[in-house]
């Protein structure tokens, strides 16, 4: 959303809600929100909850969205959102970003706007003749840009059946069926060995547990884009030190090409991505 448009929207929302809310609450209305397609995710302070439906209605009308969700928590193995629908009903939308169409259910599938730079980076990271394996594909967050813009061959693996449904739809929406193949399995069950030029590991918290499988999939020399969360006090040694140790245990050397901070994950904890070249000893 353009800054100028946002500056016009906020006073309009305050103006309307100042006539509907008790005095003092207008000042704590959300100044920031997340819009994915035509679905809005709105953070609301506890004092505003008795008026959440009225607030959501005004934000929806001013911003022109069909559904508003109250921001909640991201939980579980599949990093699923737990959001409350406070306006509208339909939580499925199509979000356009960097020439890619992402169809998803915002209420049940995480899509982080804070990761946009990484998704854009993926659009120029690979070569057309490469085989890329995305071990945690989701709806194609990171691998769709590679298939669409880099013209590389992509194998996308997604374990969650509900998320997988949208991955398949997104492959068709973006017309990359000839370059992108999807598997609805746990990536540890993927049979391919020594095939990948490049591997995406877009998961967090326990990603190190999957390094041995990534090395099994990798060619004798490959690049791995390794995501994980790391406490600030362990940076910059971690998470590369752990990656390097596990790689050596499996007969690979690891060379750190680049390290990037994606976003703050929790107080004192960062989501980072490492570009690592691995090669057989």
């Amino acid at each position: 959303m353009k800054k100028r448009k946002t500056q016009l929207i906020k006073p309009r929302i305050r103006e309307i809600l100042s006539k509907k809310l008790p005095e003092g609450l207008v000042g704590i209305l959300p100044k920031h929100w997340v819009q994915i397609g035509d679905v809005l995710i709105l953070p609301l302070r506890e004092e505003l909850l008795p008026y959440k439906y009225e607030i959501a209605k005004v934000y929806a009308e001013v911003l022109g969205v069909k559904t508003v969700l109250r921001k909640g928590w991201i939980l579980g193995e599949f990093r699923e959102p737990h959001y409350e629908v406070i306006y509208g009903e339909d939580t499925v939308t199509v979000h356009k970003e960097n020439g890619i169409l992402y169809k998803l259910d915002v209420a049940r599938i995480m899509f982080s706007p804070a990761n946009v730079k990484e998704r854009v980076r993926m659009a120029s990271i690979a070569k057309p003749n490469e085989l890329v394996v995305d071990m945690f594909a989701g709806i194609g967050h990171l691998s769709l840009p590679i298939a669409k813009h880099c013209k590389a061959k992509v194998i996308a693996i997604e374990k969650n059946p509900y998320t997988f449904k949208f991955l398949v739809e997104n492959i068709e929406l973006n017309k990359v069926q000839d370059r992108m193949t999807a598997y609805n399995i746990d990536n540890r069950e993927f049979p391919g060995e020594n095939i990948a030029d490049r591997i995406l590991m877009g998961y967090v918290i326990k990603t190190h547990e999957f390094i041995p499988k990534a090395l099994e999939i990798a060619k004798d020399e490959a690049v791995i884009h390794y995501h994980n969360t790391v406490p600030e006090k362990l940076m910059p040694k971690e998470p590369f030190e752990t990656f390097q140790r596990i790689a050596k245990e499996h007969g690979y050397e690891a060379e750190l090409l680049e390290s990037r901070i994606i976003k703050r994950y929790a107080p004192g904890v960062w989501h980072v991505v490492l570009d690592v070249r691995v090669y057989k000893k």
Side-chain angles (χ1 to χ4, degrees):
M1 185 179 296
K2 292 180 181 177
K3 190 175 180 183
R4 183 169 168 270
K5 188 179 178 184
T6 305
Q7 288 173 338
L8 294 173
I9 284 168
K10 289 176 184 176
R12 179 63 181 149
I13 289 171
R14 286 196 297 270
E15 179 190 351
I16 297 169
L17 286 172
S18 64
K19 299 168 185 173
K20 301 174 182 288
L21 300 180
E23 192 175 346
L25 291 186
V26 174
I28 61 169
L29 286 168
K31 295 180 174 64
H32 305 282
W33 51 82
V34 170
Q35 185 172 338
I36 299 171
D38 52 3
V39 175
L40 197 72
I41 303 172
L42 202 60
L44 290 178
R45 288 174 52 170
E46 194 173 341
E47 301 95 311
L48 295 170
L49 295 185
Y51 310 95
K52 60 188 177 184
Y53 300 117
E54 192 60 52
I55 292 168
K57 183 174 184 290
V58 172
Y59 274 80
E61 289 173 351
V62 174
L63 288 162
V65 298
K66 65 178 181 182
T67 305
V68 179
L69 308 175
R70 181 169 74 91
K71 189 176 181 181
W73 304 98
I74 306 291
L75 300 169
E77 176 190 1
F78 296 123
R79 312 291 301 137
E80 291 178 307
H82 289 254
Y83 297 158
E84 179 189 6
V85 179
I86 53 175
Y87 178 85
E89 295 178 356
D90 185 9
T91 56
V92 174
T93 190
V94 176
H95 180 76
K96 187 172 183 180
E97 177 188 281
N98 191 33
I100 305 292
L101 299 174
Y102 293 100
K103 186 176 181 180
L104 72 153
D105 184 343
V106 182
R108 294 181 59 185
I109 297 169
M110 191 182 76
F111 188 92
S112 175
N115 296 359
V116 60
K117 287 183 180 178
E118 187 65 8
R119 290 191 292 271
V120 170
R121 186 170 81 101
M122 290 297 103
S124 59
I125 205 80
K127 297 179 178 68
N129 60 342
E130 286 186 349
L131 176 63
V132 181
V133 175
D134 187 349
M135 293 177 65
F136 306 91
I139 60 167
H141 303 80
L142 299 174
S143 46
L144 281 168
I146 290 176
K148 181 87 171 180
H149 295 304
C150 301
K151 313 294 186 188
K153 293 283 186 182
V154 176
I155 293 172
I157 306 168
E158 174 52 42
K159 183 179 176 181
N160 186 329
Y162 187 65
T163 305
F164 179 79
K165 180 174 79 75
F166 289 100
L167 172 61
V168 171
E169 287 191 55
N170 286 330
I171 289 170
E172 294 173 358
L173 266 179
N174 290 281
K175 298 180 173 61
V176 291
Q177 301 97 314
D178 59 328
R179 295 190 292 278
M180 195 164 173
T181 307
Y183 290 83
N184 183 205
I185 56 172
D186 186 311
N187 61 43
R188 288 167 290 199
E189 297 169 7
F190 179 66
E193 292 183 24
N194 196 238
I195 61 168
D197 299 289
R198 189 176 299 273
I199 296 172
L200 309 181
M201 300 183 73
Y203 192 57
V204 292
I205 304 175
K206 295 183 178 181
T207 324
H208 60 279
E209 296 178 4
F210 297 85
I211 293 172
K213 184 62 183 181
L215 295 170
E216 182 184 301
I217 296 169
K219 286 183 175 178
D220 290 351
E221 182 175 340
V223 174
I224 297 177
H225 302 283
Y226 175 77
H227 293 245
N228 213 337
T229 45
V230 57
E232 190 168 4
K233 62 185 179 183
L234 298 181
M235 296 168 68
K237 287 185 177 181
E238 287 293 350
F240 179 64
E241 215 168 64
T242 295
F243 187 103
Q244 190 176 42
R245 174 179 55 78
I246 295 172
K248 280 187 177 179
E249 289 170 1
H250 289 80
Y252 277 85
E253 293 290 343
E255 175 193 354
L256 180 61
L257 302 176
E258 189 174 359
S259 175
R260 291 168 174 254
I261 291 174
I262 301 290
K263 63 179 182 294
R264 186 183 296 278
Y265 181 81
V269 180
W270 294 92
H271 171 185
V272 303
V273 58
L274 309 181
D275 295 352
V276 183
R277 178 179 286 116
V278 296
Y279 49 93
K280 275 279 175 75
K281 290 181 183 178

